[in-house]
Amino acid sequence: MAPQNLFAACRPDGALQAKRVPLHPQVQNQVVEIFGEQERRFRDGCTYEVPFDGRWRPDEDELLTIPLPDEASMFVEALAANVISIDPLNTRAFASEVIKALFSGQPRNGGTTILVQPFTAQQLLERKFAFFQQQNAFQRLTEPAFTMASDLACIIEDGLIKFKSQQKLRAIINLVEIYRAATDSEVETFATHPNLHVEDVEAFVAKTNQTSRKLIHAVLEDGVLEHYQPTVIQQSASATGLDVELQAGKVAMPDDAAGIKALLQFLNESRYNGPLSGQAFVTNSQRRA
């Protein structure tokens, strides 16, 4: 088995950057085995790869995929570079490195497969009262040390990031374009739509929270207000138990936060009736069938 270098993805000043993790040759071989086993478990039972747009969670037999964001190109560049050209990790100051992930990879099928583990502050043993065995007694660990994660956060290959947990991936890579919330300008565009009536646009923009802005961004992206007339929206909302008022032939935006959220959830098709019970439900995990 070929030696496999280990890298840390660090974010000390906001920008993601690679650092080399110096390893003893014997440990280097063990790293290969650890990552290989974690890759097998990660892929086990996953027969489908599904493009992801930020709106649902995967089933057990699915891997979600997104195109490689610009920031994540750092992983590919680190594997392609001369390993000696990459600065080593400052082993005497782990905390200042702000490690977000450990990663390694090998050439495969004409490309490079990169295996990425999550890394959290809990893996830094220098912050804990840790022990190691020496001469039939336990000594306190005083040298800088860390543990590896027990599983992968994602695999990078073929220009894609393949993952299962949004939470783990978001802790490593900036996914702002996938989870983007509407800007003030976009909220204003939404509030002044010809099919929507907002009593006070400036006040509406000021009080929309992050959740509402994400819903507004999705509604704008899907063109809901262009595709459906206000009367259709009112009738369809009523079928789910949501009262939507019309004013001058436009959908009237409620003034209260709960009403705003409920209407936005409906416009985002996050509110629906169970096909058997007829009960109204709201979902935050949305994908097309």
Side-chain angles (χ1 to χ4, degrees), residues 158-177:
D158 304 325
L160 298 173
I161 296 180
K162 303 177 181 181
F163 66 102
K164 299 177 182 179
S165 169
Q166 304 170 43
Q167 183 178 4
K168 287 182 180 179
L169 188 62
R170 290 173 71 180
I172 300 170
I173 300 170
N174 188 345
L175 301 178
V176 64
E177 285 305 312

Side-chain angles (χ1 to χ4, degrees), residues 11 28-29 35 86 93 124 173 184 193 203 210 222 243 264:
R11 199 185 290 276
Q28 197 170 29
N29 291 331
F35 273 101
I86 298 177
L124 298 176
I173 300 170
D184 282 355
H193 191 281
Q210 190 74 358
D222 291 342
D243 292 329
L264 290 174

Side-chain angles (χ1 to χ4, degrees), residues 157-205:
E157 62 184 359
D158 304 325
L160 298 173
I161 296 180
K162 303 177 181 181
F163 66 102
K164 299 177 182 179
S165 169
Q166 304 170 43
Q167 183 178 4
K168 287 182 180 179
L169 188 62
R170 290 173 71 180
I172 300 170
I173 300 170
N174 188 345
L175 301 178
V176 64
E177 285 305 312
I178 293 177
Y179 293 94
R180 192 169 74 80
T183 63
D184 282 355
S185 176
E186 288 171 328
V187 174
E188 184 174 346
T189 296
F190 170 80
T192 56
H193 191 281
N195 286 336
L196 188 67
H197 173 80
V198 176
E199 190 67 33
D200 187 335
V201 173
E202 186 176 346
F204 179 74
V205 173

Side-chain angles (χ1 to χ4, degrees), residues 109-171:
N109 300 325
T112 301
T113 294
I114 303 171
L115 310 177
V116 184
Q117 290 184 353
F119 193 94
T120 67
Q122 284 68 39
Q123 291 170 242
L124 298 176
L125 297 184
E126 65 179 2
R127 294 184 174 182
K128 297 178 173 63
F129 202 98
F131 299 90
F132 71 98
Q133 195 274 340
Q134 186 179 57
Q135 296 179 349
N136 298 321
F138 284 98
Q139 299 285 338
R140 182 184 178 185
L141 181 66
T142 56
E143 293 296 317
F146 65 90
T147 63
M148 296 183 69
S150 59
D151 54 15
L152 298 181
C154 66
I155 293 176
I156 300 174
E157 62 184 359
D158 304 325
L160 298 173
I161 296 180
K162 303 177 181 181
F163 66 102
K164 299 177 182 179
S165 169
Q166 304 170 43
Q167 183 178 4
K168 287 182 180 179
L169 188 62
R170 290 173 71 180

Side-chain angles (χ1 to χ4, degrees), residues 41-100:
R41 293 202 310 268
F42 187 86
R43 295 186 190 270
D44 186 37
C46 293
T47 54
Y48 304 100
E49 294 183 0
V50 184
F52 181 63
D53 67 357
R55 302 192 192 183
W56 73 86
R57 300 180 181 89
D59 292 331
E60 291 184 356
D61 60 350
E62 294 177 335
L63 288 179
L64 299 176
T65 69
I66 59 172
L68 195 68
D70 290 342
E71 181 180 67
S73 62
M74 176 276 300
F75 292 92
V76 178
E77 292 166 0
L79 267 295
N82 183 328
V83 66
I84 303 300
S85 68
I86 298 177
D87 292 338
L89 192 69
N90 184 350
T91 57
R92 294 292 174 180
F94 277 131
S96 66
E97 295 284 24
V98 193
I99 304 172
K100 295 297 182 180

